[in-house]
Every structure is written in structure tokens, then in C-alpha cells.
């Protein structure tokens, strides 16, 4: 279900909403929020969004199914079916909200954790698992869904996105590009170079930083002296911090940034302030470097729970809807399990294909050496 027809900045008043001006002032950086952790709709002077009940339920469905897929993938890794998995637990709102802000002709450059964005782009969840099972290098055609392959090298996709966006501008297209990265990647030189080039060339790109506050064991305060979104000022383009656990705010802010890019006004940095509720990957143990109390505090801000609370309070979803979604979640989990276990082993010689368009003597030599190496195991077995 897509969310595509509403304006991100249309002002509106409603008795169901609480004025943001009544909230106590804080010394923390201001962040855009349209749905509080308690499930109350609030207003923001610069960002507003009006969604139909179907669209709101669609956002909730997206987050629930993405979390279910993520949980299944984590379980499969623990059972030895995947070599590794990077969970998005807690970051569903940031990914679904921003993902649903995209148009079909926009192009996405992800890291390795954007499972929710992939869902929004129509990539089959089972295709995300091939690389983590070791049977392929991606599993989908990037140009089919305008969703690039997962990038393991930290931060490099921001350069790819910037170059692609520069090409979009030169082609005269009105589409936009979005690059996803984490707070840890913001310390990489590639990201700074991408900021520089995108600003100088006025590239139609949105840099979407999911600040989950931990770059494996390093907290954000050990990487920056200022809030991440403020870094954009030094490069000459705007930055905004959004409540990354608020799917409505993430949708409104990202849509606005994309529209700005399409108007030829250049890049925007969006910092989605969220929290990684699980481990960095399944090879990580977060209990060694962060307190349980911290996670418990963020569990109270759960992005799925707050939208469900709002749907229930506003009478926009009944028990039948939630029951049906639970059943759909289980069906998805079963499909993912079966698909992973049915994945065929890759052709061991495929790595030598498509290296050069017309072939190469060195590749031919390496292929022959590998074939001989594989054959030696059969000889030893005899």
C-alpha cells in the first residue's frame, strides 16, 4: 500500500491534536514530531501531513511486516541458515516513513540495513537474504525497483548517490535521489566528500542519516561535538532532525526534502533520531557496552506501538484488522523460512563470469587454477 497523494505541508487544525507549542521547552536540539510516543497527534509549523485511514493503516502494516521479516531473518541466522544479519529493530518508522515518501522514478542508495525501504520499493524480502546466505552478491536488479544493491563499505554509497544525482540533473529529469547511512558512517571521509560535491553541483539528493546512536560500541557523542544534522550548515545546505520513531514525521520531512531536490534547490541532510534496539549485527553483543535501562527507555518510544495507539484512539483500526495482520505476518515468516532453505548453492565458477566484456587471459588462468583446486578435493577423497 502506497502513500502518495497528500501534501507534506498543508496546514490543518483538529481537536484530536495537541499543540506542539504547549510542550515543555528542552535544551535538546529541536526535532520534528507529529506523533508523540503516547500516540497523540501534534502539529509542527513547517511540516504537516494529512493521510487517509487506509494510508495510516498501510504505514502500520508496512512496519509490522518489516519487523516480522527482520525477526525471521535474525532467527534464521541463529539457526545457521545465514552467515550474518543486520537487524533494523527499532528503526521501522524511519525507513517506512522515508520509503513511502519516494516516487517510483526516484533512486535509492541503501547501506545493508534498509530492509524497510526495500519493502517500500517492492523488493521481495527473500531476495535480501541471498547475500547473507552466501549464494549471490545481491539478488535483485537495481534498475527494476530503482533500489541499488546493499553497500557493505561504510559510507561509500553517499558518493554513488551524489554522482547519480548529478547525472539526473544533467539529464534534466525531475526525479530525486536518496542515500541512507548511519551515524557511524557520518564520520567517514566519503560522506564529507559527498556533501561537498552535492552542494557545489546542487545535486538533487537527500542524505538520510539514521542516527541509532551507536556505531557498534561507539556512542554518537564520541563522533561529533554537534548534532549530526547541523553538519550540513558547513557544506552550505539545510539539515533537519526528525523523530525517527515517528513514521508520520519521517514521511513529511522526507517528502519535503525530496520535493526541494526536484525543484532544483539542492541537497538536504535529514537526521532521523532513533535507536537500534538490537545488536549492530548478529555477531555483536550490545550488552557489553550499553545499559539495559537505555534500551528500556527507548522501548517506550516504540514506533509501531505509538502508531497502533493512535489508530486505536482515533477509531481508525479495529481488532479484526490487527488479527488479520498477525496472520499475514506469520504467513510472511513461513514464506521467508521456506525460501531461504530452498536457495540453491551458487555455481562456483560464476565468479569468473562478466569480469570483462570480452574475456581476459588472466581471468582464464585463474579460472583454470580454481577448477584444478576444486578437483584436488575429489582426488583426495578417492
Amino acid at each position: 500500500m502506497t502513500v502518495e497523494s497528500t501534501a507534506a505541508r498543508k496546514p490543518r487544525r483538529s481537536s484530536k491534536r495537541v499543540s506542539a507549542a504547549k510542550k515543555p521547552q528542552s535544551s535538546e536540539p529541536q526535532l520534528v514530531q507529529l506523533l508523540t510516543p503516547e500516540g497523540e497527534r501534534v502539529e509542527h509549523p513547517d511540516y504537516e501531513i494529512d493521510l487517509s485511514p487506509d494510508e495510516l493503516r498501510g504505514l502500520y502494516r508496512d512496519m509490522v511486516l518489516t519487523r516480522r521479516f527482520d525477526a525471521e531473518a535474525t532467527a534464521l541466522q541463529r539457526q545457521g541458515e545465514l552467515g550474518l544479519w543486520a537487524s533494523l529493530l527499532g528503526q521501522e518508522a524511519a525507513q517506512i516513513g522515508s520509503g513511502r515518501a519516494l516516487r517510483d522514478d526516484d533512486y535509492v542508495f541503501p547501506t545493508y540495513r534498509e530492509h524497510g525501504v526495500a519493502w517500500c520499493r517492492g523488493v521481495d524480502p527473500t531476495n535480501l537474504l541471498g547475500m547473507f546466505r552466501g549464494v549471490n552478491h545481491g539478488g535483485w536488479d537495481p534498475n527494476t525497483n530503482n533500489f541499488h544493491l546493499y553497500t557493505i563499505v561504510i559510507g561509500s554509497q553517499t558518493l554513488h548517490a551524489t554522482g547519480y544525482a548529478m547525472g539526473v540533473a544533467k539529464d534534466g529529469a525531475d526525479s530525486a535521489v536518496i542515500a541512507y547511512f548511519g551515524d557511524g558512517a557520518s564520520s567517514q571521509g566519503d560522506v564529507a566528500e559527498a556533501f561537498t560535491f552535492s552542494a557545489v553541483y546542487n545535486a538533487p539528493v537527500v542524505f538520510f542519516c539514521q542516527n541509532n546512536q551507536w556505531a557498534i560500541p561507539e556512542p554518537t557523542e564520541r563522533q561529533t561535538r554537534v548534532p549530526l544534522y547541523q553538519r550540513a550548515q558547513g557544506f552550505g545546505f539545510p539539515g533537519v532532525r526528525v523523530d525517527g520513531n515517528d513514521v508520520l514525521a519521517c514521511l513529511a520531512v522526507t517528502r519535503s526534502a525530496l520535493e526541494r531536490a526536484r525543484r532544483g534547490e539542492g541537497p538536504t541532510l535529514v537526521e532521523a533520531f532513533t535507536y537500534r534496539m538490537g545488536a549492530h549485527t548478529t555477531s555483536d553483543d550490545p550488552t557489553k557496552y550499553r545499559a539495559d535501562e537505555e534500551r528500556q527507555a527507548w522501548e517506550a518510544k516504540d514506533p509501531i506501538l505509538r502508531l497502533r495507539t493512535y489508530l486505536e484512539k482515533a477509531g481508525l483500526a479495529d481488532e479484526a484488522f490487527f488479527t488479520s495482520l498477525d496472520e499475514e505476518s506469520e504467513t510472511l515468516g513461513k514464506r521467508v523460512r521456506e525460501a531461504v532453505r530452498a536457495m540453491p548453492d551458487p555455481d562456483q565458477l560464476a565468479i569468473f563470469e562478466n569480469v570483462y566484456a570480452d574475456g581476459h587471459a588472466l581471468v582464464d588462468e585463474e579460472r583454470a587454477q580454481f577448477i584444478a583446486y576444486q578437483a584436488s578435493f575429489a582426488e583426495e577423497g578417492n
Side-chain angles (χ1 to χ4, degrees):
M1 187 176 296
T2 60
V3 180
E4 57 187 15
S5 61
T6 53
R9 295 182 177 220
K10 181 179 177 182
R12 180 177 173 182
R13 296 287 184 269
S14 171
S15 59
K16 292 183 180 179
R17 300 181 184 176
V18 180
S19 173
K22 295 180 180 178
K23 297 175 70 177
Q25 296 299 312
S26 170
S27 60
E28 290 293 315
Q30 293 297 309
L31 81 167
V32 178
Q33 186 179 83
L34 299 177
L35 188 64
T36 71
E38 296 75 30
E40 296 289 340
R41 281 286 274 117
V42 297
E43 296 178 352
H44 191 279
D46 298 319
Y47 300 94
E48 186 54 281
I49 196 163
D50 292 311
L51 301 175
S52 69
D54 280 345
E55 289 170 329
L56 288 166
R57 288 191 294 268
L59 291 172
Y60 181 81
R61 174 180 175 271
D62 288 337
M63 290 195 293
V64 168
L65 294 181
T66 298
R67 180 171 290 189
R68 181 64 181 86
F69 162 70
D70 181 67
E72 192 62 43
T74 300
L76 286 166
Q77 193 283 328
R78 298 306 190 200
Q79 295 163 9
E81 301 290 349
L82 303 178
L84 188 73
W85 183 247
S87 173
L88 59 60
L89 183 62
Q91 299 177 218
E92 294 87 357
Q95 295 195 15
I96 297 302
S98 61
R100 287 304 182 198
L102 294 160
R103 292 190 334 204
D104 288 345
D105 59 339
D106 295 332
Y107 210 102
V108 179
F109 287 84
T111 62
Y112 46 77
R113 200 189 301 274
E114 273 65 64
H115 320 315
V117 185
W119 172 269
C120 293
R121 299 306 280 174
V123 177
D124 190 313
T126 61
N127 287 341
L128 301 178
L129 301 175
M131 179 176 65
F132 294 96
R133 189 170 171 83
V135 301
N136 60 44
H137 296 294
W140 65 91
D141 180 355
N143 295 323
T144 298
N145 309 81
N146 280 11
F147 185 81
H148 200 266
L149 298 177
Y150 275 0
T151 303
I152 305 300
V153 178
I154 305 299
S156 65
Q157 72 279 2
T158 58
L159 286 172
H160 306 157
T162 297
Y164 193 95
M166 290 165 61
V168 167
K170 288 183 179 296
D171 289 343
D174 70 343
S175 56
V177 178
I178 188 168
Y180 288 88
F181 59 102
D183 49 296
S186 71
S187 297
Q188 294 288 333
D190 282 359
V191 176
E193 291 177 13
F195 286 0
T196 297
F197 269 83
S198 65
V200 170
Y201 288 92
N202 207 44
V205 59
V206 174
F207 296 105
F208 195 91
C209 176
Q210 294 175 83
N211 180 3
N212 62 27
Q213 302 180 56
W214 289 94
I216 311 183
E218 292 298 322
T220 307
E221 58 265 24
R222 291 190 180 179
Q223 300 184 68
T224 179
R225 296 294 296 274
V226 299
L228 294 177
Y229 76 96
Q230 293 183 4
R231 288 184 173 180
Q233 297 176 13
F235 293 89
F237 58 88
V240 58
R241 173 180 275 194
V242 62
D243 184 344
N245 285 23
D246 176 355
V247 68
L248 304 186
C250 289
L251 174 57
V253 168
T254 308
R255 180 178 288 168
S256 175
L258 290 166
E259 289 173 351
R260 180 178 179 276
R262 296 188 192 103
R263 291 194 300 266
E265 298 176 23
T268 302
L269 171 60
V270 177
E271 177 194 357
F273 194 70
T274 182
Y275 190 76
R276 190 193 77 216
M277 293 223 260
H280 173 71
T281 68
T282 47
S283 65
D284 173 42
D285 180 5
T287 64
K288 292 182 177 180
Y289 54 82
R290 66 184 189 189
D292 290 340
E293 293 78 12
E294 181 180 277
R295 172 178 170 132
Q296 291 167 4
W298 277 92
E299 284 178 343
K301 305 174 185 179
D302 186 285
I304 295 179
L305 178 60
R306 75 169 68 181
L307 182 55
R308 175 165 182 155
T309 300
Y310 174 68
L311 292 174
E312 291 176 331
K313 285 182 177 179
L316 300 177
D318 56 18
E319 194 58 37
F321 167 76
F322 296 116
T323 300
S324 175
L325 186 54
D326 288 341
E327 294 172 355
E328 186 179 4
S329 296
E330 290 307 308
T331 299
L332 175 62
K334 180 180 179 181
R335 181 168 76 86
V336 169
R337 286 195 302 275
E338 292 175 348
V340 166
R341 290 167 178 162
M343 287 181 178
D345 291 336
D347 176 5
Q348 294 180 339
L349 298 180
I351 193 173
F352 299 100
E353 302 300 327
N354 304 313
V355 179
Y356 291 93
D358 299 320
H360 194 282
L362 180 59
V363 174
D364 293 340
E365 180 182 345
E366 291 173 341
R367 180 191 293 108
Q369 290 175 348
F370 183 76
I371 291 173
Y373 174 71
Q374 292 294 103
S376 68
F377 290 99
E379 295 172 359
E380 290 176 2
N382 292 333

